[in-house]
Amino acid sequence: MRVLFDGYYWFGGPPAGIVITHEKIAAWRREFPDDALTVALRRRPTPAEASDLERQGLRWIRTYLPTQPLKNMMELSLRVRLGPYDMAWGSNYSPLLGKSAVFVHDALFQSNPEWFTTIERIYLSPIMIAARAASVLFVSSETEAARIVQHNPRLVPTAVTGFGISHALLDANPEPPPALDLRPGSFVLSVGRLNTRKNLATTLSAAVHSGAISASRPFVVVGPANGKADQLERRVLAAIDDGSIRYTGFVETEHLAWLYRNTALFVYLSLNEGYGLPPLEALRLGAPVLVSERPIFRELLRESVRYCDPTDIDAVAQAMKLSLSDGRLPLASDFEFPSWEHMVHTMRGAMTETKGKSRRRLTS
């Protein structure tokens, strides 16, 4: 199969976007070495970058339009119509012409527009319209498939793929972040983009209310600011001032691996997710995990973590104290972490079956 991949996040962007782009294509190359894979890049690679692409057995083309929606919907459309490709693969925004597969990450901007800025909603609005033109529509979870159909009855997802966990994270040599002065088991951790949906204001208020954090056992927050953010209450600001809450911003992979492996508790109380990789990463690296009582986490994590109502400060505080005292729950004997190999086999199988056919109904 000859596939043209959207490489908008090949060189930069949200950390999760970069990881998914690289891991997906690398897994495809490993599993289907005879396929011809081309990555559409938003800039010309340097000689070293071009050599790395060649070493991976990848071809590349450059796109020129200024945004991902325009690149995917217009440029990839023309490329797949005029070029030697069986199908174009887009992230969120489907090419409008020719054979195309699109991965729609979530419909949260439709179900909960209040979590997004006006500019974000405008930027995201073409996703579901363009998806109608796709030959194949992929989603990450059964939960998200149901949400997409609820808000877009004309769309029928083809397959649920899941995501894997970053090989760079799993293979990293863990090193403590030098600026934080942390001891193993002496801190609580949260990882993710800092915006309203991640519910950080309630999480930190509950952490302070619980009495479980202090300057000697801080709550460590890893992640960049992104989109609409909540206002923090006065006692949380005081906890930041005295070192009971510490923001790190972006951290290197070896530091993130150390934080996951050595935290006393990983807390992820997002109001909702299309998928939610950080709790899976934390669980895979051995951390006790506390997450929101939401269908997506029940689907992915089952009974291997603790749950609480993310909007109830008292309930969150009690759940934090219980989790810190009881430690990690055992994994179910039949629990399996998702893999990139499963993802690409699911995608390629659906793309192969759909060539020359109308979109098939959801399979997983």
Side-chain angles (χ1 to χ4, degrees):
M1 182 178 285
R2 299 165 299 177
V3 185
L4 175 61
F5 282 101
D6 168 15
Y8 189 77
Y9 293 128
W10 189 264
F11 293 126
I18 298 170
V19 168
I20 291 168
T21 299
H22 282 263
E23 291 278 8
K24 169 191 71 215
I25 295 175
W28 196 300
R29 168 56 59 213
R30 291 192 303 271
E31 297 299 302
F32 308 108
D34 294 332
D35 285 358
L37 308 184
T38 302
V39 186
L41 305 174
R42 55 177 163 167
R43 66 167 172 81
R44 178 176 292 276
T46 65
E49 291 166 344
S51 295
D52 185 58
L53 286 159
E54 183 178 356
R55 178 186 58 78
Q56 297 179 63
L58 302 174
R59 305 168 188 177
W60 64 272
I61 60 169
R62 184 188 169 185
T63 56
Y64 293 89
L65 291 176
T67 66
Q68 188 185 24
L70 292 175
K71 289 177 186 290
N72 286 15
M73 293 189 293
M74 298 178 66
E75 285 194 78
L76 295 195
S77 290
L78 293 175
R79 295 282 190 167
V80 78
R81 285 291 294 269
L82 302 176
Y85 308 109
D86 295 311
M87 194 166 286
W89 193 104
S91 176
N92 273 334
Y93 303 94
S94 174
L96 298 178
L97 303 173
K99 291 292 183 183
S100 63
V102 67
F103 190 106
V104 173
H105 287 262
D106 61 68
L108 291 169
F109 68 96
Q110 292 181 311
S111 63
N112 296 93
E114 70 276 11
W115 296 340
F116 298 84
T117 65
T118 300
I119 292 174
E120 286 174 324
R121 293 197 301 272
I122 293 170
Y123 186 82
L124 296 169
S125 61
I127 289 176
M128 301 304 174
I129 298 171
R132 297 174 189 172
S135 308
V136 187
L137 171 58
F138 297 122
V139 294
S140 61
S141 66
E142 299 281 357
T143 301
E144 196 53 42
R147 190 195 330 268
I148 288 171
V149 172
Q150 178 185 357
H151 292 275
N152 307 274
R154 292 177 59 184
L155 291 179
V156 181
T158 309
V160 171
T161 69
F163 292 120
I165 296 173
S166 164
H167 282 89
L169 181 65
L170 295 176
D171 298 339
N173 181 25
E175 296 181 10
L180 294 182
D181 189 27
L182 297 172
R183 292 174 291 103
S186 70
F187 60 96
V188 178
L189 178 66
S190 187
V191 173
R193 291 179 291 173
L194 310 184
N195 56 31
T196 296
R197 177 162 55 92
K198 301 304 181 183
N199 197 34
L200 193 62
T202 298
T203 302
L204 296 180
S205 293
V208 173
H209 179 64
S210 73
I213 65 169
S214 64
S216 60
R217 184 162 69 176
F219 194 111
V220 177
V221 180
V222 175
N226 175 265
K228 289 181 71 172
D230 290 326
Q231 295 296 314
L232 301 178
E233 64 177 359
R234 188 172 304 167
R235 60 180 178 172
V236 172
L237 296 175
I240 294 171
D241 289 340
D242 71 19
S244 298
I245 296 172
R246 304 182 193 178
Y247 286 83
T248 71
F250 172 81
V251 298
E252 299 295 338
T253 302
E254 61 270 22
H255 298 153
L256 181 59
W258 188 91
L259 291 168
Y260 274 140
R261 292 182 183 277
N262 290 280
T263 186
L265 176 64
F266 179 78
V267 179
Y268 197 79
L269 300 180
S270 172
L271 295 174
N272 220 327
E273 295 288 333
Y275 197 72
L277 273 172
L280 276 170
E281 293 173 343
L283 192 64
R284 178 65 178 81
L285 293 180
V289 175
L290 174 65
V291 296
S292 309
E293 181 61 78
R294 293 292 184 265
I296 182 58
F297 295 129
R298 289 287 182 182
E299 177 183 342
L300 297 180
L301 304 168
R302 297 163 59 187
E303 301 307 315
S304 301
V305 303
R306 287 185 172 84
Y307 296 88
C308 66
D309 178 353
T311 65
D312 185 330
I313 288 179
D314 289 334
V316 173
Q318 288 299 317
M320 284 185 186
K321 289 192 289 186
L322 178 62
S323 299
L324 284 166
S325 64
D326 287 356
R328 177 172 172 161
L329 297 176
L331 292 177
S333 58
D334 60 345
F335 185 91
E336 292 185 10
F337 286 95
S339 71
W340 301 108
E341 289 74 19
H342 174 268
M343 181 184 191
V344 298
H345 275 273
T346 301
M347 291 194 303
R348 192 182 187 280
M351 290 162 68
T352 300
E353 292 180 18
T354 306
K355 288 173 62 177
K357 300 179 182 179
S358 60
R359 184 182 297 145
R360 298 171 63 87
R361 288 196 169 269
L362 181 67
T363 59
S364 60

